Amino acid sequence: MKFLVVGDSHTEYFGITNQLRTINKSLRGITCYNKVIHGAKVSGVGKLTSTLNVGSDIPKWIKNAKPDFLVLNLGQVDIELGIPFRQYVQGSTSPMSELIDQFVAAYFRYIETLDMPNSRIIIKGINLPTLCYDRDKAIKYITRIVTERFTDSSDDLSKRHSVVQNLKNSYASDILRTELAFRFNSILKGACNELGYGYFDINAHLLDPESGTISPKFVPTGFDHHIIDSLDVRDLHWRELLPVAMGNYWS
């Protein structure tokens, strides 16, 4: 069975190594073409012009790889980083629910243009946020991301100070941002069920029921918003993906 997996930097976890094949015998006979595009967003994938060219590259990759399944792993950048950018840099006052609807609508408008049967397209939901257990660290990380294009001009320095202050005052809590990920995935899953696409995520494994957020064992100690990259995490991805693919294979 052949998979083409396309998505943002969180798509690295689909990479199959010899170690992973050793611990997961179900990967015998599985081929994965893993296309990782750092910073890829659902809000940009359908645009006619894009600096990342994800939307125009996917049909080429499908044609070359001729996969049994296309797996799309997008949305993390939009929800975790795109929403704060809109709120704290662009000054958007749109409700988060409205932004989620826009992201999902853009996602599926693009997917519907792809030349593959719906049952052979599988969407992965986003992971729970890892910027938890340390609010100052989370704000520092988000500030760096949303102001990365700011210059050293006095105007940008003033804007950056304003962004930091607003983040300190109103950046969503760990629990609310976790709930945001669940809400995005719920809408995504509902649309997949309605349109006949496959869907899966790994959040049942990531969640710590006691805290209501991601388990600390998946949180990196470094300055990073990705979950820990381990054999277990990579195995989780394939353990959740393969049953969905097998269920849709004969459709």
Side-chain angles (χ1 to χ4, degrees):
M1 193 179 296
K2 191 186 302 181
F3 291 84
L4 170 62
V5 184
V6 181
D8 57 33
S9 54
H10 299 78
T11 305
E12 293 277 6
Y13 307 114
F14 287 97
I16 299 176
T17 64
N18 289 335
Q19 288 175 307
L20 189 59
R21 289 190 187 279
T22 298
I23 68 169
N24 187 340
K25 303 303 182 184
S26 297
L27 293 174
R28 183 176 54 195
I30 299 295
T31 300
C32 178
Y33 298 97
N34 209 21
K35 301 292 185 180
V36 181
I37 305 96
H38 295 270
K41 306 187 294 292
V42 297
S43 52
V45 74
K47 292 181 180 177
L48 294 177
T49 57
S50 170
T51 54
L52 297 177
N53 298 319
V54 182
S56 58
D57 282 341
I58 290 176
K60 298 175 187 176
W61 294 330
I62 292 173
K63 183 178 179 180
N64 291 335
K66 297 179 176 57
D68 295 301
F69 289 95
L70 169 67
V71 180
L72 295 175
N73 184 31
L74 296 164
Q76 198 89 38
V77 175
D78 301 85
I79 298 300
E80 279 203 271
L81 309 178
I83 287 180
F85 179 78
R86 285 168 169 78
Q87 292 175 324
Y88 297 101
V89 176
Q90 296 182 329
S92 172
T93 57
S94 298
M96 288 190 185
S97 59
E98 184 177 309
L99 292 175
I100 290 176
D101 288 341
Q102 291 173 8
F103 294 151
V104 172
Y107 205 174
F108 285 99
R109 276 197 304 270
Y110 174 74
I111 295 172
E112 289 167 2
T113 69
L114 298 175
D115 187 21
M116 284 195 76
N118 289 16
S119 62
R120 295 305 182 92
I121 298 176
I122 300 175
I123 312 300
K124 178 188 172 293
I126 66 173
N127 298 331
L128 300 182
T130 63
L131 294 174
C132 297
Y133 304 108
D134 186 340
R135 182 174 176 81
D136 289 341
K137 177 183 177 181
I139 289 173
K140 185 177 179 181
Y141 187 90
I142 293 298
T143 299
R144 188 190 73 176
I145 297 299
V146 302
T147 65
E148 62 183 352
R149 295 187 180 180
F150 283 20
T151 67
D152 291 330
S153 69
S154 58
D155 185 44
D156 276 359
L157 288 174
S158 176
K159 285 195 294 184
R160 187 180 187 282
H161 177 74
S162 178
V163 167
V164 172
Q165 291 305 308
N166 289 333
L167 279 165
K168 288 181 178 179
N169 290 334
S170 61
Y171 186 54
S173 68
D174 297 354
I175 291 177
L176 286 177
R177 285 183 286 110
T178 298
E179 178 62 23
L180 182 62
F182 278 127
R183 284 176 177 266
F184 175 76
N185 285 351
S186 176
I187 294 172
L188 200 61
K189 182 178 181 179
C192 285
N193 291 341
E194 181 179 341
L195 297 170
Y197 301 112
Y199 172 87
F200 78 102
D201 63 57
I202 64 168
N203 288 336
H205 304 279
L206 302 183
L207 182 67
D208 173 26
E210 186 174 334
S211 69
T213 60
I214 191 168
S215 169
K217 67 182 179 181
F218 296 107
V219 178
T221 56
F223 204 56
D224 193 0
H225 79 288
H226 299 78
I227 59 176
I228 292 286
D229 186 4
S230 66
L231 277 177
D232 186 48
V233 164
R234 294 197 179 203
D235 188 39
L236 286 177
H237 281 70
W238 285 100
R239 275 194 277 144
E240 292 296 335
L241 168 58
L242 287 176
V244 177
M246 291 303 295
N248 286 7
Y249 187 79
W250 306 108
S251 300

